[in-house]
Structures are given as C-alpha cells and as structure tokens.
Amino acid sequence: MYRWEITRAALAQRVFAIVRSRTYDEASATADTLLSAGITSLEISLTTPFALEAVTTLTRELGDDAVIGAGTVLDAASARMAVDAGARYLVSPSLDAEVIRTGHRYGVPVFAGVSTPTEIVRGLELGADALKLFPAAGRHPSWIADVRAALPQAPLVPTGGVTPETAPEWIAAGAVAVGMGSALSEGDRETVAKRAADLLARLADAVPEPGEAHPTDPYGA
C-alpha cells in the first residue's frame, strides 16, 4: 500500500486508539478488547514494555483486518525499529524531521505532533501525513476551526484529553480524526464495545457536509 492509502485506512473511522500500558500482557489485552469492539486502527506506544514485540504480533495476526501503528516515536532510531517491527504508521508527540524522513524512506506515514500554527506549517513543509494536535486538553474544538480557516489544508488529529463525549465536536470543527487512549479503552469488554459502537456512529454523524468545516479533508469518504 502507498502511504496515502495507509493514512486513509488508519483514519477511516475518524478515531485511532492509543494503547499505553505498564506491561506487555496488559497492552495485548487492551488491544484485543479494542479490536473486538470494532476499532480498526490503534497505536502501541513505545513507552509500553516490549511495545515493538506487541506491534509485530498484532500486525502478523491481524493482517489487513486492522492498521497497527507505533506511538511516542521520538527519533530516527525508534522510527526505524518500529518500521522493522511491522508498524504501518508512526505517531510522535513532537515535530521531528528525521522521524518523518525515516518513515517516508520506507513508505510508512507519519503523524507528527504539533501545538501551534507555526509548527503546523512546518509539519506541512516536512510532508507529515497528518498532524497530531498534542495535547488537545485545555483547548476548545473551535481552535481547530479557527486554525483551519487560515490553513484548510492541515489534516489535524487532536490527541490528549479527547473523550468520547467531546470527540464529535472536534470532528465537526474540522479535525480529520481524533486519538484516544484510556477514555476509550477503560472498562470490561462489554462496556468498551458499547462505547466504541456509540462513538463510531456519533463520529460519522459529526462529519461536516461538503463545503462546510473541512472541504479539503484529504481522508474523507
């Protein structure tokens, strides 16, 4: 698959799950719960012990049924190891040119972290496939609408502090997707399944009609 195809698949549901756990077994259990609930895109944070092994196992077992990425990728060395482990996309909390170059060298999209309009423009110049607005906590979804009035070409993905309740507001404001961690995955399998089903339906309903909040969304249906 080309980078744009992977990006489109990773953001197709307008949400990707973030798995950040204290142990490998906990990460595997959380990923299994999310995938069983119908989430098709998730990142394993490299802050999780044996995160790359988890990426390899999930990618091998799931094939094209899900898009597994690596998160908290801070430098070129981590990016290369994540690619070698089978990560389909890379997510970083910061804007690092070498992470983007490394991912692109091997055909893997990179969602680079940004927090200001200046960083958004720099991320676009560096060719980031999506821009992770981090942290989103403390910001209102209207910030996205204000920024995209000037930068409608910016594919923004708010992450950090996004909840199932606020996620549709971010999409309605023009975000192409949201990243969500424990707010999505906490609870037993039945609870997570119900939450995920409700969230996916609400995100689909929140997508603006053509010509509204994000007419240039490169990953829309």
Side-chain angles (χ1 to χ4, degrees), residues 84-173:
D84 288 346
R88 303 288 295 282
Y89 61 95
L90 308 178
V91 186
S92 177
S94 59
L95 182 58
D96 186 282
E98 288 304 312
V99 171
I100 297 173
R101 290 192 187 102
T102 302
H104 288 182
R105 185 176 297 125
Y106 300 103
V108 174
V110 179
F111 306 161
V114 298
S115 62
T116 67
T118 298
E119 291 182 343
I120 290 171
V121 172
R122 182 58 176 155
L124 292 171
E125 292 171 345
L126 292 172
D129 301 274
L131 299 167
K132 171 183 174 178
L133 173 62
F134 179 80
R139 298 184 189 271
H140 189 272
S142 61
W143 189 90
I144 291 266
D146 291 341
V147 169
R148 296 194 78 258
L151 299 169
Q153 71 275 28
L156 297 170
V157 183
T159 307
V162 177
T163 68
E165 291 70 35
T166 62
E169 298 177 39
W170 289 102
I171 298 301

